[in-house]
Amino acid sequence: MTFWIVQALNGLQLSMLLFLLSIGLTVIFGLMHFVNLAHGALYTLGAYAAVSAVAATGTYWGGFVFAPLAVAMAGVVLYTGLIRRMRKAGPMSQVLVTFGLIFVFLDLMRITWGDLALSIAEPTLFTGRSELLGVAYPTYRLFIIGLGLAVMLGLWVLLSRTQIGAMIRAGVDNDQMAACLGINVERLFFIVFCIGCALAGLAGAVAAPVLSVTPDMGTQILIPTLIVVVIGGLGSLKGAIAGSLMVGFIQTFGAVLAPQLASVSIYALLAAVLIFRPAGLFPAKA
Amino acid sequence: MFQQTRTKTITIVLLLAGMALYTGFAGFYGRELIIEAAYLVILAISLDLVAGYGGMISLCHGAIFGIGAYVFAVLTSMYDISPLIALPAAIVAGAIFGLFVGAVTSKTSGIFFIMTTLAFGQMVYVYVFENRALGGDDGLSGVERIDLSWLGLDMGNSMQFAWFSIVLAGLAYVVAAAVLRSGFGRTLVGIRSNEGRMRALGLPVRRYKAVAFAISGALAALAGTIAAQQTMFVSPQMMGWMMSGEALVIVILGGLGTLVGPAVGAVLFVFLQHEVSELTRYWHMIVGIVLILVVVLGNRGAYGQIEHMIMHRRRPVAPAKSSLEAASEQEESHA
């Protein structure tokens, strides 16, 4: 029993990390029809920004606050410099440009922070283990789960209960119609892009104490994130939640129950979804 | 539509002759570079066949390349089968995988096509990476080179092996050009330009796409067998999605939808990588910046730009549209 609870918590923790990454990607994708392969690089940037901020401030929370801001700033630069002019280009040009960005980020981070794996300590508030459902589980990982759930709730409220949320939903559904109704879709894109970047930065900061911070951590997590986005359906919050839970749990339980099949089964799931339900399980557009 | 213009013929002949000539003068390291360039030429040509002429931007060509390499490696190193049989077997395996991916993905387009091919490619990569029987992440060693002593050739000699690779690269180009010049190839280009119209004409569009992917897969697998023979070693690294991305980068830098361009791109890529790596450790950043600039500015690639200038001089009124723009428009019209 303990085994199942621990693995379920592990799966949940991975799912939350994937959720933080995929929600930004999926809304950018759904709203702007923009394929941002560099999203993983922004996550890495977040992790490194957190490392530097922790070193400067001496506390984990310095990195926790600074990383999303820093990555959002990088997002502003990217958007004004490159993304805006790529919006009208086809998916192939977008894939290529953001693939180029991966290379640029990879080397920029190697130049700035070096090749060696860095890490930061868990915040003192969440060190050690806690009792939950009769098992001792690392407190910091529980914090990740809680944070993921909080962000999920926050985004749900934002998207379904506020005016800007309604505008975003309108933009995902039909951007031209939304523009006709007087919504500044261009500015909406910009805001969503920055929020997506900030969440990627947050994911980086949250992952930094658990995983080691290396220049290629973004390329490793990019593919699972894209899988989450595509399985769930582009642009949908519900899809991102369902997708990250599926991928997180399959990866975790697969790794302990059937290591041979675990990773392959995720790609098989993706291929099956793409063939039978090409728009994903919960498409944002009806 | 594909035309084997004089510019194309001259360029490919000069390129391959130049490589062969360089092999004669270069040292061991230079010959290794030529071999690498030769198999990347084949991989780039195979990718351009589907991406440039079929409008199918594949992100699984690295995996097909790897399948070719692994089938060849497993047959020669684990089952002691003659490379003369393993080579065609690897090509057939690549074609079958290509046919499968092509058939399954033929109803998707645009970004969904890209994602599906990515998924299939990664599936193969992960399977090999975690399969201890295939050597897992350590790879497999003990791959044999093909025995052509009955032709009086010694494949153990790096110069002769380089020449052999160049000949195969030339053959791959001839095959691809022949396919594109045939009725099949013209139909394929027609599907890229307007899939709906081709379907309305009563053509089995999905079958065409699948077969095109199979032909491309056969060529990509051929490239893989050369890579496996060069180092006599295969590892999962050669089939990950970064490999597919690199192949796409080569095609774009050379000129998508020109067939010769990707071949030029492959040679440029290998030699630039070698030159730049001696100056700086940050070769990837240079590639990234160049790639972004090529896409943002012209979209034509090195050879595409030259061909455009030549065509433009002859027919100044001809509306010039780069193949990438055309491909993007086509994708959008299907989105």
Side-chain angles (χ1 to χ4, degrees):
Chain A
M1 197 56 211
T2 317
F3 167 80
W4 292 101
I5 293 174
V6 168
Q7 293 307 329
L9 287 171
N10 283 341
L12 206 54
Q13 181 243 314
L14 179 61
S15 301
M16 291 307 143
L17 206 55
L18 286 173
F19 171 74
L20 286 181
L21 270 171
S22 55
I23 185 62
L25 196 60
T26 198
V27 178
I28 291 169
F29 211 131
L31 189 64
M32 306 165 61
H33 306 287
F34 187 83
V35 193
N36 185 13
L37 290 186
H39 204 72
L42 294 171
Y43 156 82
T44 319
L45 185 66
Y48 274 117
V51 169
S52 292
V54 169
T57 60
T59 159
Y60 171 80
W61 301 106
F64 186 80
V65 173
F66 177 71
L69 292 176
V71 179
M73 281 311 295
V76 171
V77 174
L78 271 185
Y79 187 87
T80 46
L82 202 58
I83 310 276
R84 193 166 52 188
R85 76 174 70 188
M86 294 309 298
R87 288 235 310 107
K88 295 278 175 272
M92 173 160 157
S93 305
Q94 297 172 349
V95 164
L96 287 167
V97 163
T98 51
F99 192 70
L101 277 178
I102 293 182
F103 281 159
V104 174
F105 269 110
L106 202 63
D107 274 349
L108 278 181
M109 283 181 279
R110 285 172 63 203
I111 292 169
T112 320
W113 285 284
D115 283 320
L116 294 176
L118 303 175
S119 68
I120 50 180
E122 296 166 352
T124 42
L125 190 60
F126 295 118
T127 45
R129 287 162 180 273
S130 302
E131 278 294 306
L132 186 83
L133 302 168
V135 296
Y137 197 71
T139 316
Y140 183 73
R141 287 171 185 257
L142 289 176
F143 163 70
I144 296 181
I145 296 174
L147 181 75
L149 291 173
V151 171
M152 233 179 239
L153 189 72
L155 285 175
W156 179 74
V157 170
L158 180 79
L159 281 173
S160 66
R161 292 281 179 273
T162 66
Q163 193 184 5
I164 188 154
M167 283 154 76
I168 292 171
R169 280 183 290 131
V172 170
D173 212 39
N174 188 337
D175 57 341
Q176 286 174 348
M177 196 64 210
C180 288
L181 292 172
I183 296 171
N184 187 343
V185 179
E186 202 59 42
R187 200 176 59 199
L188 208 58
F189 286 159
F190 178 65
I191 295 169
V192 167
F193 190 80
C194 292
I195 295 177
C197 291
L199 285 173
L202 182 68
V206 167
V210 190
L211 310 166
S212 57
V213 182
T214 57
D216 67 340
M217 68 191 283
T219 36
Q220 284 167 15
I221 204 144
L222 175 69
I223 302 287
T225 310
L226 285 172
I227 293 176
V228 167
V229 169
V230 175
I231 287 181
L234 309 181
S236 100
L237 176 67
K238 209 200 279 180
I241 296 171
S244 13
L245 287 174
M246 283 166 88
V247 173
F249 274 83
I250 291 180
Q251 209 155 359
T252 310
F253 278 98
V256 287
L257 298 179
Q260 282 278 324
L261 288 172
S263 314
V264 177
S265 58
I266 288 175
Y267 295 104
L269 175 71
L270 172 61
V273 167
L274 277 166
I275 292 161
F276 296 108
R277 300 201 56 174
L281 298 177
F282 299 98
K285 287 184 194 181
Chain B
M1 200 169 71
F2 175 78
Q3 277 178 317
Q4 182 62 35
T5 56
R6 205 184 309 148
T7 323
K8 278 196 167 68
T9 312
I10 294 170
T11 313
I12 190 76
V13 168
L14 279 183
L15 182 76
L16 295 175
M19 284 165 75
L21 206 62
Y22 182 82
T23 307
F25 295 109
F28 177 77
Y29 187 70
R31 292 197 285 266
E32 293 297 306
L33 285 182
I34 286 288
I35 299 167
E36 191 184 338
Y39 69 69
L40 285 178
V41 165
I42 302 177
L43 183 63
I45 286 174
S46 87
L47 183 57
D48 197 32
L49 193 65
V50 283
Y53 292 95
M56 298 180 274
I57 313 299
S58 157
L59 272 184
C60 69
H61 265 61
I64 307 181
F65 173 79
I67 288 175
Y70 263 87
V71 168
F72 187 87
V74 167
L75 290 180
T76 58
S77 72
M78 286 162 75
Y79 294 99
D80 265 331
I81 289 171
S82 158
L84 281 171
I85 298 166
L87 186 78
I91 293 173
V92 169
I96 291 173
F97 184 76
L99 187 69
F100 168 71
V101 174
V104 170
T105 56
S106 60
K107 65 175 175 185
T108 61
S109 64
I111 187 64
F112 290 101
F113 181 86
I114 300 177
M115 293 302 303
T116 320
T117 53
L118 180 66
F120 280 117
Q122 284 302 103
M123 203 154 44
V124 174
Y125 165 74
V126 169
Y127 178 77
V128 172
F129 190 88
E130 303 203 336
N131 194 331
R132 291 310 310 171
L134 294 175
D137 54 341
D138 295 333
L140 279 178
S141 54
V143 182
E144 280 177 47
R145 282 189 183 176
I146 200 160
D147 181 13
L148 294 178
S149 51
W150 46 280
L151 285 173
L153 294 171
D154 172 21
M155 286 295 116
N157 177 320
S158 71
M159 192 185 293
Q160 299 196 15
F161 186 69
W163 280 334
F164 171 68
S165 317
I166 296 167
V167 169
L168 287 183
L171 276 177
Y173 181 84
V174 171
V175 168
V179 167
L180 288 173
R181 289 181 66 175
S182 68
F184 175 85
R186 298 193 189 278
T187 312
L188 187 66
V189 175
I191 292 171
R192 188 198 71 184
S193 321
N194 192 334
E195 192 171 326
R197 186 174 295 170
M198 294 312 264
R199 198 176 288 122
L201 285 171
L203 288 156
V205 166
R206 294 181 56 183
R207 200 184 306 158
Y208 271 92
K209 283 174 143 185
V211 172
F213 219 91
I215 297 170
S216 173
L219 289 177
L222 169 68
T225 62
I226 300 175
Q229 292 179 67
Q230 182 194 12
T231 48
M232 302 188 191
F233 169 76
V234 287
S235 82
Q237 254 64 51
M238 60 203 290
M239 61 199 315
W241 73 278
M242 292 297 267
M243 183 73 204
S244 305
E246 223 160 73
L248 197 55
V249 169
I250 288 173
V251 171
I252 299 302
L253 293 186
L256 177 83
T258 59
L259 209 61
V260 176
V264 176
V267 178
L268 278 180
F269 188 84
V270 170
F271 280 88
L272 281 180
Q273 181 169 33
H274 171 64
E275 291 302 318
V276 176
S277 306
E278 290 201 336
L279 296 175
T280 163
R281 287 167 56 220
Y282 305 108
W283 143 254
H284 276 116
M285 185 152 78
I286 313 279
V287 176
I289 291 170
V290 171
L291 178 65
I292 292 171
L293 286 178
V294 166
V295 177
V296 171
L297 297 177
N299 277 354
R300 287 197 187 90
Y303 177 79
Q305 186 64 40
I306 293 167
E307 195 180 56
H308 169 74
M309 274 149 58
I310 293 171
M311 304 282 272
H312 211 66
R313 200 191 54 201
R314 281 190 195 147
R315 282 180 295 161
V317 280
K321 187 175 277 183
S322 81
S323 50
L324 198 66
E325 282 167 36
S328 318
E329 276 170 19
Q330 188 264 342
E331 279 166 18
E332 276 168 7
S333 70
H334 284 276

